[in-house]
Amino acid sequence: GLVIAQNLPNNDKMSLKLGGGRRNVYHRQVRMKNSPIEKAKTQQKLDVILKPDLHKYYNTEADHWFTIGHENAHSLGPNFGTDLLGQYKDIIEENKADMAALAFLNILTDEGVYTEEQKKQILTTYAVNNFLKAKPHLSQAHRVRSVMQNFYFIKEGAIIVDNNGIINVNLDKMIPTANKMLTEIIEVQLSQDINCSKEYINNYFYWTDEMDRVAKNLNKTDKTLNGIIISPLADYLIKNSHS
């Protein structure tokens, strides 16, 4: 694949008004998403974890749209005092950026940035990609926040996981749930209290039976964390090891 640097759609008017500022850039990793191998891999994942009538809303490009919202949300504040949250600062901040990216979707859709179809694609793709293959360690901020969000969205009924580990996304509940969680996260950041942040994480960092069922399905299809592994020789040797 390729790695490219891409400017986020920051508005320069704010920087000019404040007499300074910066234009954020993030590195976007471009994989072989349109290759037959990658398409087959994606479909295999959807078949084992996502309700069939939601497959049409899964779009790898929607993950990129979500990332734009996430990265821009980092600059929205609170900008001072979050260092007092100590070792929990990054988990809380990454959580905030995710929830803001979802919470603003109705506004962005009303403004014409996204269509209704694209909004559904972002919500569904986020829900699918947020499930992990194993419980993370507390030091893994990005993965810990995924567990917290899954617990929260399942608790609120925005995401439902059946007994077979199949995800159903209640699209009507996704944005209100993100708004609710975002409000709580901002309150934690404004508290500037490490104990408050620790308590918040402890309240939601639970690896549930629902997450475990999805993880087992994901691990049946592919045990790699990222990317594509093409190993014809290894596959051949395994297939013919008893012949």
Side-chain angles (χ1 to χ4, degrees), residues 97-111:
D98 275 356
M99 292 303 96
L102 298 181
F104 297 151
L105 279 177
N106 279 336
I107 298 172
L108 293 171
T109 302
D110 290 343
E111 291 292 325

Side-chain angles (χ1 to χ4, degrees), residues 131 135 147-148 150-152 154-155 161 204-215:
F131 279 87
K135 181 181 179 180
V147 174
M148 293 174 65
N150 284 338
F151 180 83
Y152 200 101
I154 290 171
K155 178 178 69 73
V161 180
Y204 296 119
F205 182 48
Y206 283 105
W207 183 261
T208 66
D209 290 340
E210 292 93 340
M211 297 179 210
D212 201 53
R213 290 197 292 270
V214 176

Side-chain angles (χ1 to χ4, degrees), residues 7 13 25-26 29 40 46 54 69 75 91 94 99 103 112-113 127 142 145 169 177 180-181 188 224 227-228 236 243:
N7 286 316
K13 292 181 180 179
V25 176
Y26 79 98
Q29 200 160 31
L46 297 181
L54 291 173
S75 64
I91 297 174
E94 294 299 334
M99 292 303 96
V113 177
H142 286 74
R145 62 88 148 81
V169 184
T177 299
K180 184 176 179 180
M181 193 173 195
V188 171
T224 59
I228 304 169
Y236 174 82
S243 62

Side-chain angles (χ1 to χ4, degrees), residues 14-15 60 87 105 130 182 234:
M14 183 64 72
S15 295
T60 53
Q87 69 191 85
L105 279 177
N130 218 33
L182 177 62

Side-chain angles (χ1 to χ4, degrees), residues 96-176:
K96 180 205 77 176
D98 275 356
M99 292 303 96
L102 298 181
F104 297 151
L105 279 177
N106 279 336
I107 298 172
L108 293 171
T109 302
D110 290 343
E111 291 292 325
V113 177
Y114 299 118
T115 65
E116 286 290 334
E117 180 83 359
Q118 288 173 321
K119 180 175 73 174
K120 292 176 181 178
Q121 290 174 344
I122 293 170
L123 293 171
T124 303
T125 305
Y126 156 82
V128 171
N129 291 347
N130 218 33
F131 279 87
L132 306 175
K133 296 177 181 177
K135 181 181 179 180
H137 187 270
L138 195 60
S139 63
Q140 298 171 291
H142 286 74
R143 296 183 180 276
V144 169
R145 62 88 148 81
S146 291
V147 174
M148 293 174 65
Q149 291 165 15
N150 284 338
F151 180 83
Y152 200 101
F153 278 69
I154 290 171
K155 178 178 69 73
E156 294 292 322
I159 294 176
I160 304 98
V161 180
D162 70 14
N163 291 332
N164 296 316
I166 302 297
I167 302 164
N168 185 17
V169 184
N170 187 325
L171 295 170
D172 292 331
K173 287 188 175 182
M174 289 294 289
I175 295 175

